[in-house]
Amino acid sequence: GIDMNDQKMDRRTAIKRTLNTGLTAGAIASFPSFILPALAQGEVLVPFSDMPADYRRGPARPGASHFLDTRMISDFYTDNTDFYVVQHYGQPEVDLDSYRLKITGLVENEREYTLAGLQAMSQFRINAGFECGGNNTARFQGLIGNADWGGVRLRDILNECGVKPEGKEVVFFGADTGVEAIPNRDTEVEQSFARSLPVADAMNEANIIALQMNGEALPQGHGHPARLVVPGHYGVSNVKWLMQIHIQDRRYMGRFMGRDYVTLKKEMVGGQERWVENSVTKMQLKSAIVRITRLNNQHKITGFVLNDGTPLRNVEIKIDDSTWQEATIDPRSTQYSWKLFTMNWTAPPGEHTLVSRVTDINGNVQLTAEEVPEKASRWENYAQFPRTITI
Ligand SMILES: Nc1nc2c(c(=O)[nH]1)N[C@H]1C(S)=C(S)[C@@H](COP(=O)(O)O)O[C@H]1N2
Ligand SMILES: [Mo]
């Protein structure tokens, strides 16, 4: 479990770390039963046969990671307490009085913003849903969420400081640090969690330094008091507990850009088959079925779509050997939100296999597990996800 005393250990520094327990078996076992999502009167949740009967999600705990029981997804916005939580160096506690967001490096004017200073700037809101780059079928896609983010446009901050022409890359540092071993040396160094974006990508007007999540101050576990949100990107781009933005003339090669969250997959490179490594950035085109309910004799299938913000053509569902049928996409969907989809189904008794696939306006179709490029790393799991159910 989590030792909450850990938080009190070092009051001298403004920034403290809590223990990151990860997704422990204990947390899962200690949760007696999952709370049923909003169901219409008489509506019941139908269990998937590909899920263990006792499958449980642990409760959200301060300082820890957690994930969604995706059978519970029924709202467009994920509750702040329900939205998945992932961090690699534990959760730092940022002192609000001494908090300064520092902009440094290749800018005309280096600046510091207090929290009040950020709050006094023009505020924007954007819907963005994302998943962890490591999200997968093992947790039934539970490292996922969709929220209404409010805060300051990154572009406004960068323009206020004036990025110099030789500035190429924008690096975002969090308050959290970890000790990293240096390969082949008997040495360790303390490093901050950090990610970067090329200047052109950073200038996308959708990017926001979020101070609010679903209309509330950003919760501690989601990066209080400020985090970067890069709509259309995997979770790892969205640096929590944001402390410094540094503009430099070269790529940033820190752990979470250069070594971890690096996808290694087979591609054709100029007619030659090669293993190619890339940082996890834009979300791949993905859909998954996560929830089946029944009201009287009518079943309803629900799922989600995530991608990089490219408009969609459709989402289709295939049941057993039938043809693909178009599902209905939630009209609340916006460019960077997740897109929930539903389809009614008159289900005959027996064992069934259901799978969804999404197609974007450019005709890119979500691929099957057999069709996706061969991959050696565990990141970016976007293949079609067949589910089974017994009626
Ligand atoms: N400072 C900091 N930001 C971070 C991380 C981290 O370890 N430290 N983890 C990243 C990863 S890998 C993910 S998936 C998302 C999760 O965001 P959430 O906890 O708000 O869902 O935060 C990202 N931002
Ligand atoms: Mo992640």
Side-chain angles (χ1 to χ4, degrees):
I2 303 158
D3 179 9
M4 291 309 293
N5 292 326
D6 194 56
Q7 280 191 337
K8 299 189 195 102
M9 260 162 41
D10 188 6
R11 289 272 172 207
R12 289 162 300 146
T13 54
I15 294 155
K16 282 156 287 175
R17 254 172 291 148
T18 57
L19 200 65
N20 177 13
T21 56
L23 303 163
T24 62
I28 294 164
S30 69
F31 198 54
S33 63
F34 75 90
I35 299 150
L36 284 178
L39 290 163
Q41 200 171 15
E43 193 181 19
V44 293
L45 198 61
V46 184
F48 287 103
S49 52
D50 57 17
M51 257 172 140
D54 60 351
Y55 181 81
R56 295 286 182 271
R57 175 197 63 157
R61 293 195 191 186
S65 298
H66 82 118
F67 61 100
L68 271 183
D69 182 330
T70 50
R71 290 172 297 181
M72 292 171 67
I73 293 177
S74 61
D75 292 327
F76 180 60
Y77 295 115
T78 313
D79 270 11
N80 287 2
T81 51
D82 231 9
F83 201 106
Y84 86 96
V85 178
V86 163
Q87 55 276 315
H88 298 273
Y89 296 145
Q91 295 183 0
E93 201 179 295
V94 176
D95 179 76
L96 300 189
D97 294 332
S98 60
Y99 177 78
R100 299 287 183 277
L101 174 61
K102 294 191 170 74
I103 320 298
T104 58
L106 296 172
V107 286
E108 301 300 339
N109 303 296
E110 294 193 332
R111 277 176 185 257
E112 288 188 3
Y113 295 84
T114 62
L115 187 54
L118 291 172
Q119 286 162 341
M121 293 179 72
S122 295
Q123 303 289 304
F124 293 90
R125 293 174 83 141
I126 190 156
N127 289 328
F130 53 84
E131 62 170 356
C132 175
N135 200 23
N136 60 28
T137 60
R139 289 186 203 92
F140 304 92
Q141 317 290 357
L143 295 175
I144 193 169
N146 184 63
D148 166 26
W149 306 94
V152 180
R153 278 197 174 132
L154 172 62
R155 190 165 81 173
D156 291 352
I157 299 241
L158 293 176
N159 286 337
E160 198 162 73
C161 299
V163 175
K164 290 184 174 169
E166 60 270 34
K168 295 284 179 281
E169 191 86 356
V170 185
V171 192
F172 303 88
F173 293 95
D176 47 335
T177 59
V179 175
E180 297 290 346
I182 307 303
N184 306 317
R185 298 290 304 277
D186 193 15
T187 311
E188 299 179 323
V189 292
E190 195 181 59
Q191 294 194 294
S192 298
F193 180 89
R195 287 276 305 184
S196 73
L197 294 170
V199 168
D201 291 356
M203 288 294 183
N204 182 350
E205 66 170 3
N207 299 335
I208 198 162
I209 295 171
L211 310 173
Q212 297 219 309
M213 181 177 185
N214 293 325
E216 291 169 17
L218 204 61
Q220 161 63 5
H222 296 288
H224 188 67
R227 83 176 302 171
L228 177 67
V229 174
V230 184
H233 274 221
Y234 284 101
V236 69
S237 293
N238 304 322
V239 178
K240 304 194 274 189
W241 311 289
L242 184 65
M243 300 300 283
Q244 186 184 2
I245 300 178
H246 185 75
I247 293 85
Q248 60 187 40
D249 64 358
R250 62 196 68 186
R251 284 184 301 157
Y252 175 74
M253 297 293 290
R255 170 178 159 193
F256 296 96
M257 289 300 290
R259 297 187 294 288
D260 215 345
Y261 286 86
V262 170
T263 299
L264 175 55
K265 66 169 187 256
K266 227 179 225 178
E267 275 178 13
M268 293 305 279
V269 179
Q272 192 73 36
E273 193 174 69
R274 294 188 189 280
W275 285 99
V276 176
E277 288 168 287
N278 276 303
S279 304
V280 166
T281 56
K282 286 181 182 178
M283 283 190 284
Q284 304 275 359
L285 183 64
K286 170 172 178 173
S287 75
I289 292 171
V290 291
R291 169 176 162 92
I292 295 182
T293 54
R294 178 173 56 79
L295 181 59
N296 304 320
N297 286 323
Q298 188 64 65
H299 286 78
K300 189 169 91 180
I301 305 164
T302 303
F304 70 84
V305 172
L306 283 174
N307 77 339
D308 63 2
T310 304
L312 305 182
R313 181 178 292 165
N314 63 25
V315 186
E316 299 163 294
I317 295 175
K318 188 166 124 110
I319 300 163
D320 302 323
D321 295 321
S322 72
T323 54
W324 290 99
Q325 290 169 266
E326 200 162 324
T328 305
I329 297 176
D330 184 340
R332 291 171 296 181
S333 305
T334 60
Q335 184 180 9
Y336 295 111
S337 74
W338 68 13
K339 283 96 184 151
L340 299 181
F341 63 87
T342 54
M343 199 179 85
N344 289 328
W345 175 37
T346 309
E351 174 85 13
H352 300 284
T353 302
L354 304 96
V355 67
S356 66
R357 75 171 179 197
V358 53
T359 304
D360 72 16
I361 48 151
N362 300 322
N364 298 308
V365 185
Q366 183 185 6
L367 303 172
T368 64
E370 293 70 39
E371 291 163 343
V372 292
E374 194 185 339
K375 196 159 61 66
S377 49
R378 66 188 182 89
W379 312 110
E380 304 188 51
N381 305 300
Y382 58 94
Q384 290 176 24
F385 180 31
R387 307 299 308 267
T388 58
I389 190 165
T390 306
I391 303 296

